Amino acid sequence: MELAFTTSSSIRTAATTPHCNSLYLHRRIPINPDCKSSSWLLKSSENLSSIGFHSRTGGIKPVSNRHCRRFSIWACTQVGAAGSDPSLNKFSAFKDACWRFLRPHTIRGTALGSTALVARALIENPELIKWSLLLKAFSGVLALICGNGYIVGINQIYDISIDKVNKPYLPIAAGDLSVQSAWFLVLFFSVAGILIVGSNFGSFITSLYCLGLVLGTIYSVPPFRMKRFPVAAFLIIATVRGFLLNFGVYYATRAALGLQFVWSAPVAFITTFVTLFALVIAITKDLPDVEGDRRYQISTLATKLGVRNIAFLGSGLLLVNYIGSIVVAIYMPQVNISSLQPFFFIFTWSAFRRGLMIPAHAILAAGLIFQARVLEQANYTKEAILDFYRFIWNLFYAEYFIFPFI
């Protein structure tokens, strides 16, 4: 549980989930008048008028008097301990807003993906591992996080009205971060990311990185605003999070090891798998946003076909992914595509570890089927939809966790 300060006159709790900020919901709890320090708290309201408790959960629940008393006592204690330093309070609030602005669940996917691909390249070439490459690897992850921050940030800047309906917990929509500060952050992320990549990974990777930023820009920014068109939006998300991330990181890692780029079967597999998975994320991400999308005439598959049909479509595509993974492990333990060597990419022999790949994907597929059934039984309430979307991201993380070892 995290302490944050705001400028309201009540204690605020926000329920969140460990994996996604999409449930950053606020509950207002009045300060208990029985608290002995409450009068002091009111006198200090000019500098510190409320305390926010940030955690993550799936929905809004009524708060009992017992919880109110507990929070009131905690508030009185913490205010006394924190003192009345307004600069510290403002910094804490700004830090919290910036973290939400970065959309942490997307950062986890980016960081996990890049780490898994670097680990795979090192596992394939253990004799080339050098501690001197560690700093370069960290700089690459930092550049990817900057690119991620730019893309999700520019989207929030141009989606303020919609986010006030669909995602009121986001910092700009909630009024916790000004538009000017948001612009400063996205410009900083873009410049910092390009400088890091350009100074460490050469012109080819820099061009791929810039392509990702351009695609993220035209996705959100008028007059392009490709997110209005479902097919274009899906292709952009799948390209950036699927192909560019996986291919780019693996290419850069092999170059840092002094090796020519070579497609191994596992890397070709994860690139294909995640590209299709990113397509599913692009489809299902609109499920919780149907209300706001309809109000502002944003055309998505969810608004056209309905929540239930899109949930089934996303689940079906993921099941195809998992079934395909099992089939690959059974029938293609070794792959040789050396006939494509005259082209830019070269493929090598590589084996899948059946003992891990088959049971792992079978378990993940079973979990997906179970979660889809739970969503159906819940009659597609917004809380159930959010839980389902969060579970899809968990499956995404899980794939990268097992990838270095397949």
Side-chain angles (χ1 to χ4, degrees):
M1 183 163 290
E2 174 189 352
L3 175 65
F5 303 97
T6 65
T7 57
S8 61
S9 59
S10 60
I11 297 176
R12 182 176 68 175
T13 62
T16 59
T17 165
H19 302 291
C20 181
N21 274 7
S22 61
L23 299 180
Y24 208 92
L25 305 176
H26 292 120
R27 294 182 294 216
R28 299 282 179 178
I29 305 173
I31 297 174
N32 190 332
D34 295 333
C35 178
K36 294 181 180 180
S37 302
S38 61
S39 60
W40 182 88
L41 179 65
L42 294 174
K43 292 178 182 178
S44 305
S45 62
E46 291 182 2
N47 295 326
L48 180 63
S49 55
S50 71
I51 297 176
F53 304 84
H54 298 287
S55 61
R56 294 176 170 90
T57 188
I60 301 175
K61 300 178 181 178
V63 182
S64 65
N65 290 333
R66 177 173 60 86
H67 287 99
C68 289
R69 288 193 296 270
R70 182 190 305 169
F71 290 145
S72 299
I73 293 171
W74 190 93
C76 297
T77 304
Q78 293 300 316
V79 169
S84 57
D85 185 352
S87 59
L88 180 62
N89 301 342
K90 290 180 180 179
F91 175 76
S92 178
F94 181 73
K95 181 180 68 173
D96 173 73
C98 289
W99 179 240
R100 285 182 284 140
F101 183 70
L102 288 172
R103 307 304 305 278
H105 68 285
T106 62
I107 288 180
R108 294 185 192 104
T110 300
L112 273 175
S114 57
T115 302
L117 285 153
V118 170
R120 182 74 204 190
L122 295 179
I123 289 173
E124 292 172 353
N125 304 277
E127 71 281 0
L128 299 178
I129 297 176
K130 299 177 183 178
W131 288 108
S132 59
L133 296 174
L134 189 60
L135 180 60
K136 196 167 190 176
F138 278 129
S139 67
V141 173
L142 180 60
L144 289 171
I145 292 175
C146 286
N148 189 95
Y150 170 82
I151 291 174
V152 299
I154 202 76
N155 183 63
Q156 291 175 64
I157 290 174
Y158 284 95
D159 272 5
I160 298 175
S161 298
I162 301 174
D163 286 341
K164 287 180 179 179
V165 178
N166 291 336
K167 302 180 180 75
Y169 49 84
L170 292 179
I172 304 178
D176 298 329
L177 186 71
S178 68
V179 176
Q180 291 80 1
S181 297
W183 271 114
F184 172 81
L185 288 173
V186 296
L187 291 175
F188 170 79
F189 290 145
S190 61
V191 173
I194 292 173
L195 289 177
I196 292 172
V197 174
S199 60
N200 288 279
F201 299 102
S203 59
F204 179 66
I205 293 298
T206 302
S207 64
L208 291 181
Y209 187 86
C210 291
L211 174 60
L213 297 185
V214 170
L215 291 175
T217 300
I218 65 174
Y219 176 83
S220 301
V221 177
F224 308 101
R225 201 156 170 78
M226 303 305 291
K227 66 182 297 179
R228 296 175 298 168
F229 312 107
V231 174
F234 301 157
L235 291 176
I236 288 174
I237 294 174
T239 300
V240 173
R241 188 162 287 282
F243 177 77
L244 289 181
L245 174 65
N246 292 276
F247 166 70
V249 170
Y250 190 70
Y251 182 100
T253 304
R254 289 189 64 88
L257 294 173
L259 299 172
Q260 182 183 11
F261 179 80
V262 175
W263 275 113
S264 66
V267 174
F269 159 77
I270 195 65
T271 302
T272 304
F273 185 97
V274 172
T275 299
L276 183 56
F277 207 122
L279 180 63
V280 173
I281 290 176
I283 293 173
T284 57
K285 76 178 184 62
D286 296 318
L287 292 177
D289 300 341
V290 170
E291 179 185 353
D293 289 340
R294 284 174 176 164
R295 180 180 299 184
Y296 290 94
Q297 299 180 341
I298 299 295
S299 177
T300 67
L301 287 184
T303 59
K304 289 182 175 181
L305 303 180
V307 171
R308 185 175 186 272
N309 291 332
I310 295 304
F312 271 110
L313 176 61
S315 299
L317 289 174
L318 283 186
L319 283 177
V320 169
N321 235 3
Y322 288 128
I323 293 171
S325 303
I326 294 172
V327 170
V328 164
I330 293 174
Y331 294 102
M332 300 177 64
Q334 290 184 320
V335 180
N336 182 16
I337 323 179
S338 57
S339 60
L340 294 182
Q341 284 185 3
F343 295 95
F344 178 75
F345 303 124
I346 301 174
F347 292 73
T348 59
W349 290 87
S350 185
F352 293 105
R353 295 179 179 174
R354 293 178 176 179
L356 172 63
M357 195 164 174
I358 294 175
H361 288 96
I363 292 172
L364 295 176
L368 173 64
I369 294 172
F370 174 78
Q371 195 65 28
R373 180 174 175 79
V374 169
L375 179 62
E376 175 79 14
Q377 292 176 339
N379 200 26
Y380 298 92
T381 63
K382 186 164 186 175
E383 180 178 352
I385 292 171
L386 289 168
D387 286 340
F388 179 73
Y389 182 62
R390 180 174 63 236
F391 183 77
I392 288 177
W393 272 100
N394 289 338
L395 293 177
F396 186 79
Y397 304 149
E399 191 65 32
Y400 275 127
F401 269 121
I402 66 175
F403 166 67
F405 312 105
I406 64 173

